[in-house]
Amino acid sequence: MSVATQDSAVRTGRITRTFIYVFLIFFALFYLLPFFVMVINSLKPLGEITGGNMMALPQDWTIQPWLSAWSTAQIGVEATGLKPYFINSILMVVPAVAISTMLGALNGYILTKWTFPGHKILFGLMLFSCFIPFQIVLIPMARVLGELGLSGSTTGLILVHVVYGVGFSTLYFRNYYAAFPTELVRAAMMDGAGFFRIFWRIMLPVSGPIAVVCIIWQFTNIWNDFLFGASFAGLNAMPITVALNNLVQSSTGVKEYNVHFAGAILAALPTLLVYIVAGRYFVRGLMAGSVKG
Amino acid sequence: MAVGQTRTERDWRMRLQDWLPKLVLSPSVAMTLLFVYGFIIFTIYLSFTGSKMLPSYDWVGFDNYRRLFGLSAWTTALINLAIFASLYVTICIAIGLSLAIFLDQKIRGEGMLRPIYLYPMALSFIVTGTAWKWLLDPGIGIEHTMHLWGWETFRFDWIKNRDYAIYTLVLAAVWQSSGFVMAMFLAGLRGIDNEILKAAQIDGASNWNLYRRIVIPLLRPAFLSAFVILAHLAIKSYDLVIALTGGGPGRATELPATFMYSYTFTRNQMAVGASSAVIMLMGIAAIMVPYIYAELKEKN
């Protein structure tokens, strides 16, 4: 009774606790298994996968599959490896994240500190746009990109990702700024500070945490996008997710499972790194995007 | 005179300050209105035309919807979605809730376990699909491994089996998202006032009853959010199907999203594709609109 602790008042017996640990560890293994399989099989010669056991550690460790996935594997008709597509993804993701985050910060600032009649409806409209099935915009978007001369270009993809990413970034900043005392903004206005001055001097300096959350969310989403890449990128701007899929689904030649696994890890590496370095913010972004609309 | 001048100047500045926010907001609003709502209206319009490979503007009424619901491929996609969505949502919530409740028992190593449960959420569905595609492949994956370990009769060829392939989709999708649901429930649990739990325990409630009667009802908002997020993800599922099964074998894992894509872009039935997209949008709107409305209203 007296040992009732702060974070949980529930007491459990020894058998229950054992069961709980077994359950938790079982699921940890379940989540780790596919990644473990990817890693060990990306370091094996192909023969050890087709003729051997997928769960076994490599007998001949090799980084050949990684080199092949990076620079020589056949993607579509060209044997370029994933490298050019990795670069495409970076060229797409950096501007798209920067622009959508900046717009989101300004929008959130306006929608909380410079409100006007109808601002709620506008925000509602932007919020709903985060959740639409993108199939509904594919046909007109393909046409508009064509008209603008942006089909098959990285610029076109950046535009698409900014357009469909700005809803989420606005949501983040709006909810964050809503908690910021409006009196401070009022006081600054009285002192004659204008719209941008207040934004630069008062709002931006306190926006660090939410900016990190927003950047991570946009980065993960845009890097992992497949649908827009597959629909609008063509060959020249193809992002890595689409290239990886082409590599894995290609029906010509021998299926090089080890190269596929190495390629999959390459495609996952940037977002995984972000998750490892800033996991806390990643989780916060997920929650903000769901629990509070 | 000087006073008058500063007054007009101030007037002008005030007016600018009044317009500036709207001006800065307008590009985003214009983008949203054009690229989201304008495009939605355009797609709805297309769904009432006879568009094939390119958009055409001859009005055909509800013909496309009649055709759509007459197509066995579409019916199959809807049935598959029903199976996939219900299992995906239920299993994710069951696993997520269990993991959250168990993790909340002052578990040693919680800080190590939580990131392990959550990392799949950082991956692309294409990566998830690739990993599971080969894991589930009977020739090299789990089945093959079990045979090598001496269990010769073990069979796990769902991914190649028309009747079971849809469940492999559930498996991979649950793997990806259940950790996220865990995080949502864990946040809910950590928000519950411990005094309530202590009071119930003093009244002699067993752990089981404590959770069933008190904790789980208190988690209602988390249940609602989890349901809404998972259901809308299920309707939008596209990448995972493409990477894991490509919609096959046969049409066993075809979903509305893959149907829309293939009818619009490979079969040149744009109007039918547009009408299927409209049906998808209606499904999402039915879930999201009440949720967003309630969330925005609550804030007032």
Side-chain angles (χ1 to χ4, degrees):
Chain A
M1 195 67 205
S2 57
V3 251
T5 52
Q6 279 176 337
D7 48 331
S8 177
V10 181
R11 286 154 303 151
T12 41
R14 198 195 285 176
I15 297 170
T16 322
R17 281 197 89 71
T18 315
F19 170 77
I20 289 175
Y21 274 102
V22 170
F23 186 93
L24 290 176
I25 290 168
F26 171 81
F27 270 95
L29 295 177
F30 168 67
Y31 291 115
L32 285 173
L33 177 76
F35 200 72
F36 170 75
V37 167
M38 282 203 283
V39 172
I40 57 171
N41 288 291
S42 71
L43 296 165
K44 276 177 195 174
L46 186 58
E48 275 189 50
I49 302 178
T50 49
N53 186 342
M54 200 181 228
M55 307 290 171
L57 291 175
Q59 283 157 351
D60 292 323
W61 295 79
T62 167
I63 57 159
Q64 198 49 51
W66 283 78
L67 299 178
S68 166
W70 180 247
S71 53
T72 62
Q74 187 95 8
I75 313 280
V77 288
E78 285 179 88
T80 55
L82 289 170
K83 184 177 154 192
Y85 308 101
F86 193 94
I87 295 169
N88 283 347
S89 273
I90 289 179
L91 291 177
M92 163 186 83
V93 87
V94 173
V97 170
I99 298 171
S100 63
T101 304
M102 254 162 47
L103 283 177
L106 284 166
N107 294 346
Y109 167 54
I110 295 164
L111 290 171
T112 51
K113 304 304 173 208
W114 296 83
T115 53
F116 49 87
H119 74 276
K120 257 197 170 171
I121 295 170
L122 277 186
F123 179 60
L125 285 174
M126 291 180 90
L127 194 53
F128 180 68
S129 76
C130 302
F131 300 102
I132 57 165
F134 292 123
Q135 278 75 15
I136 198 84
V137 298
L138 284 185
I139 302 169
M141 193 47 138
R143 272 182 77 80
V144 167
L145 288 178
E147 302 272 326
L148 294 174
L150 293 174
S151 349
S153 74
T154 300
T155 319
L157 281 180
I158 294 170
L159 172 72
V160 172
H161 284 299
V162 168
V163 166
Y164 300 109
V166 80
F168 258 118
S169 55
T170 303
L171 163 73
Y172 287 139
F173 282 97
R174 178 188 179 269
N175 287 354
Y176 188 77
Y177 288 153
F180 184 84
T182 308
E183 298 80 57
L184 280 181
V185 177
R186 289 263 160 74
M189 274 188 229
M190 295 296 173
D191 292 343
F195 174 82
F196 282 111
R197 207 178 154 82
I198 296 176
F199 182 66
W200 285 112
R201 291 292 182 80
I202 300 179
M203 304 308 282
L204 268 193
V206 299
S207 307
I210 199 64
V212 176
V213 166
C214 182
I215 288 170
I216 291 178
W217 172 270
Q218 298 286 2
F219 177 80
T220 311
N221 263 1
I222 298 172
W223 184 274
N224 287 343
D225 161 72
F226 176 76
L227 184 61
F228 289 140
S231 309
F232 307 132
L235 277 176
N236 293 328
M238 187 187 288
I240 190 153
T241 46
V242 181
L244 172 66
N245 190 54
N246 287 354
L247 169 70
V248 175
Q249 309 289 350
S250 103
S251 46
T252 50
V254 192
K255 281 204 186 329
E256 294 185 290
Y257 303 107
N258 49 358
V259 177
H260 299 176
F261 286 130
I265 301 174
L266 278 173
L269 219 48
T271 53
L272 266 185
L273 274 180
V274 167
Y275 176 68
I276 290 165
V277 173
R280 207 156 44 92
Y281 292 97
F282 177 79
V283 177
R284 216 183 286 170
L286 278 177
M287 311 295 284
S290 61
V291 180
K292 275 280 142 218
Chain B
M1 214 44 200
V3 176
Q5 207 170 16
T6 46
R7 187 168 291 162
T8 44
E9 197 182 295
R10 194 178 296 160
D11 232 40
W12 185 81
R13 269 195 59 176
M14 291 274 278
R15 209 173 296 162
L16 179 71
Q17 288 301 327
D18 218 37
W19 276 102
L20 205 50
K22 286 170 196 153
L23 200 69
V24 174
L25 188 66
S26 57
S28 302
V29 172
M31 274 190 326
T32 308
L33 289 181
L34 174 67
F35 289 97
V36 178
Y37 296 94
F39 281 9
I40 288 176
I41 291 166
F42 183 75
T43 305
I44 293 173
Y45 177 70
L46 277 185
S47 75
F48 290 104
T49 67
S51 306
K52 295 277 183 235
M53 199 177 103
L54 293 166
S56 70
Y57 302 100
D58 51 323
W59 189 263
V60 298
F62 280 93
D63 276 8
N64 294 312
Y65 291 91
R66 256 177 245 127
R67 274 192 53 207
L68 180 67
F69 282 92
L71 285 169
S72 68
W74 175 248
T75 326
T76 310
L78 284 184
I79 295 171
N80 285 340
L81 176 63
I83 298 172
F84 171 71
S86 51
L87 286 172
Y88 169 63
V89 173
T90 326
I91 298 175
C92 274
I93 288 184
I95 293 178
L97 181 65
S98 314
L99 288 175
I101 288 179
F102 290 158
L103 263 189
D104 198 33
Q105 309 301 323
K106 291 205 294 137
I107 292 304
R108 213 172 294 169
E110 188 203 319
M112 217 174 72
L113 288 169
R114 241 180 334 164
I116 294 176
Y117 297 158
L118 256 164
Y119 86 90
M121 204 62 198
L123 304 180
S124 145
F125 274 117
I126 301 296
V127 173
T128 303
T130 303
W132 282 99
K133 184 188 178 74
W134 300 140
L135 252 176
L136 295 168
D137 189 287
I140 58 163
I142 296 172
E143 180 178 302
H144 182 66
T145 300
M146 288 301 173
H147 291 177
L148 290 175
W149 283 347
W151 189 353
E152 299 285 346
T153 54
F154 182 86
R155 278 175 65 85
F156 189 43
D157 57 357
W158 288 5
I159 200 165
K160 304 265 186 213
N161 184 319
R162 275 164 188 266
D163 297 326
Y164 290 97
I166 190 79
Y167 303 111
T168 62
L169 209 59
V170 176
L171 176 63
V174 165
W175 179 80
Q176 174 122 348
S177 343
S178 47
F180 166 47
V181 181
M182 179 279 300
M184 289 169 70
F185 280 120
L186 196 60
L189 284 170
R190 299 269 151 96
I192 292 177
D193 186 0
N194 253 321
E195 297 306 313
I196 302 174
L197 304 185
K198 278 182 197 154
Q201 280 197 323
I202 291 167
D203 290 343
S206 69
N207 280 346
W208 171 250
N209 273 329
L210 185 70
Y211 275 98
R212 201 167 59 101
R213 296 269 173 80
I214 299 172
V215 176
I216 291 179
L218 282 173
L219 288 176
R220 256 183 67 132
F223 273 101
L224 182 67
S225 306
F227 173 80
V228 167
I229 295 299
L230 292 170
H232 114 275
L233 282 179
I235 297 177
K236 285 165 77 166
S237 288
Y238 175 76
D239 315 7
L240 184 62
V241 184
I242 295 298
L244 189 68
T245 61
R251 280 191 205 130
T253 51
E254 198 82 66
L255 292 182
T258 57
F259 174 96
M260 186 276 168
Y261 202 90
S262 66
Y263 266 73
T264 308
F265 297 108
T266 48
R267 293 179 180 229
N268 297 330
Q269 306 258 15
M270 188 177 278
V272 176
S275 36
S276 69
V278 172
I279 303 287
M280 288 176 68
L281 178 72
M282 285 164 61
I284 299 248
I287 298 168
M288 294 310 303
V289 169
Y291 183 69
I292 291 176
Y293 183 74
E295 288 278 337
L296 286 181
K297 221 175 149 198
E298 211 174 272
K299 288 242 167 86
N300 253 346

